[in-house]
Every structure is written in structure tokens, then in C-alpha cells.
Amino acid sequence: MKLDILAIGVHPDDVELCCSGTLLRHISHGQKAGILHLTEGELGTRGTGETRLQEAKAAAEILGVHVFETLDFQDGFFQNDNENRLKLIRFLRKYQPDILLTNALDDRHPDHGRAGWLSEEAAFLSGLAKIETEFEGVQQQAWRPKAVYQYIQFYYHQPDVVVDISPFWEKKIAAVKAYKSQFYNPDSKEPETVISSPEFLEFIKARATEFGLSIGVRYGEGFTARRTIGASSLSGLI
């Protein structure tokens, strides 16, 4: 299946927190969207790799994405090396996304920045025909996404573009709350973390409100880009 848009997250819940509203926006336009988790988030303080994978599947069903997969990168210890670049190149060539959404290039969790740069580099290398890869015994064709954008995570970055997700806010939050082990649960006996506090979901809403206000809508998701963003005309811009 060829995808119109693919969101990569190094940990389960990265995509849901930061860009799931944008995926919903594209799905509402009849486009095909996918989610790829690079790890199972097995080093997270709360939950296990198995429970987080179950939660990720539940979130994907809520969002209605067309593709949901997880790679086998080692949480906390994977490297931006040739082996992992090739794994991601095979995936990109398999689904041929036109738009790629990735982790922030600099963030509180070192995995985020490392995954962001790995995705950025793999997206470019995937377009080089002399890098040969196979999938199920068949040689893959080179493919490079037309655009790569980094979603904004814990650290604030000035967005280069903001997407209006106002109509999809409730479904986005439902997908986030599918991660029952990770976020606020007064009945949980697990250790508290930064993201398990009730204030964290308030922070997510405040960030979306701030980005939305910047373009004159209720809620928005912000992205940075290492490319100049173009438009066919100014009339289509908010």
C-alpha cells in the first residue's frame, strides 16, 4: 500500500501526542496514513514493551490509520547507524510516503533527537538508487518523500507550519488516553513520571491552544522543517 503520509515515533505515544490530529486531518481528506514506532518503549518507567504495544494498537484503531507497524530498535540504546538506516529505508520504500512526520531534532529525551536525525537521513538516502534493498526477495525501487517535517515535543520550537486540528481534538485525545499505563491514572500503583501527572495533559492542550491561536483557530499542531515550505498560491493559506 502506498501511503500519502507516514508518522514515525521512536516511542509509542510520540505520534499520538504530537501529530495525530494532522494524521486525522489527512485521513478526513481521503488520504492514506500510517504510523511506525521504532521501539516498543520498553525502558519506560511505567508499563512494559508488551503493554505499550497493545496500547499503541488500540490508539491506531481509534485514529483509523491504514498502516501500523513497529521496528525492533532498542529503546534508549539504538544508534543512527547504517544498520538502522537500512531498516528504515526498506520501510520507506515499502510504503512510499509522500509526506514524512518525524521526532523533533532536539528534545528532552535523547532518543527523540537521534530518531529525528535518523529519519531525516534515511529519507534522503532512500532516494539513492545505488543503495540496494530487498523486501520479501524482491529488489525495491528508490523512493524519497517529497517533504519531511518534525513535530514539536517537550522542548518548545518555533513552528515553521501549523496545521488546524480543531475538528479532530476529541479523537486525538482519545488516542492519547489509549496509553493507560503512561498518563494520569489515580488508581495506578506505578511510579509517577513527568507525563503521568494530570498537568501533563493540560500542557498538551495548552500547546495545541497556543499553536491554534497563532493561526486563528481553536487547536493546532506545529512542525519544523529543514526545507523552504512553498505554496501554489497565497489564497490557500490561513
Side-chain angles (χ1 to χ4, degrees), residues 141-186:
Q141 293 184 337
W143 179 267
R144 181 176 296 148
K146 294 173 182 163
V148 180
Y149 301 102
Q150 293 81 34
Y151 47 81
I152 296 168
Q153 300 191 259
F154 195 86
Y155 288 169
Y156 179 84
H157 296 279
Q158 180 66 37
D160 295 308
V161 62
V162 173
V163 176
D164 176 11
I165 63 163
S166 305
F168 311 104
W169 177 254
E170 296 301 328
K171 185 173 282 193
K172 170 190 169 83
I173 291 301
V176 169
K177 289 184 176 179
Y179 291 92
K180 297 178 181 178
S181 68
Q182 300 303 301
F183 302 112
Y184 179 65
N185 179 358

Side-chain angles (χ1 to χ4, degrees), residues 1-211:
M1 179 188 297
K2 185 189 179 310
L3 294 175
D4 296 293
I5 185 168
L6 171 67
I8 295 176
V10 64
H11 307 120
D13 74 21
D14 286 349
V15 167
E16 292 80 3
L17 284 168
C18 302
C19 67
S20 57
T22 299
L23 294 183
L24 287 166
R25 168 69 74 181
H26 282 260
I27 292 170
S28 75
H29 291 164
Q31 296 184 332
K32 289 183 171 59
I35 294 176
L36 172 64
H37 300 301
L38 299 182
T39 78
E40 293 182 356
E42 63 270 18
L43 291 184
T45 302
R46 294 159 66 99
T48 64
E50 182 179 355
T51 59
R52 294 191 73 176
L53 182 57
Q54 292 172 350
E55 292 167 347
K57 290 178 179 178
E61 289 179 4
I62 291 170
L63 295 172
V65 294
H66 302 83
V67 169
F68 166 81
E69 291 198 34
T70 302
L71 291 183
D72 60 355
F73 290 13
Q74 187 181 8
D75 189 13
F77 292 97
F78 74 91
Q79 295 298 315
N80 182 358
D81 56 21
N82 291 347
E83 179 183 1
N84 288 331
R85 290 190 200 103
L86 282 170
K87 288 179 181 179
L88 192 48
I89 287 169
R90 291 187 187 96
F91 191 92
L92 294 174
R93 290 177 172 180
K94 176 181 177 182
Y95 289 110
Q96 300 183 343
D98 292 321
I99 299 172
L100 186 63
L101 309 179
T102 75
N103 287 95
L105 299 179
D106 176 46
D107 204 48
R108 176 177 177 268
H109 196 308
D111 278 2
H112 293 173
R114 198 159 59 249
W117 281 108
L118 190 157
S119 300
E120 177 86 19
E121 293 170 16
F124 182 86
L125 295 173
S126 181
L128 301 181
K130 289 185 178 179
I131 296 178
E132 297 183 359
T133 59
E134 292 185 357
F135 176 71
E136 295 182 346
V138 178
Q139 186 166 343
Q140 294 179 303
Q141 293 184 337
W143 179 267
R144 181 176 296 148
K146 294 173 182 163
V148 180
Y149 301 102
Q150 293 81 34
Y151 47 81
I152 296 168
Q153 300 191 259
F154 195 86
Y155 288 169
Y156 179 84
H157 296 279
Q158 180 66 37
D160 295 308
V161 62
V162 173
V163 176
D164 176 11
I165 63 163
S166 305
F168 311 104
W169 177 254
E170 296 301 328
K171 185 173 282 193
K172 170 190 169 83
I173 291 301
V176 169
K177 289 184 176 179
Y179 291 92
K180 297 178 181 178
S181 68
Q182 300 303 301
F183 302 112
Y184 179 65
N185 179 358
D187 299 322
S188 176
K189 306 300 182 185
E190 295 198 76
E192 292 187 7
T193 67
V194 171
I195 68 172
S196 72
S197 69
E199 292 78 19
F200 183 75
L201 290 181
E202 293 177 10
F203 161 71
I204 295 300
K205 184 175 183 179
R207 175 68 63 74
T209 301
E210 177 185 14
F211 286 155

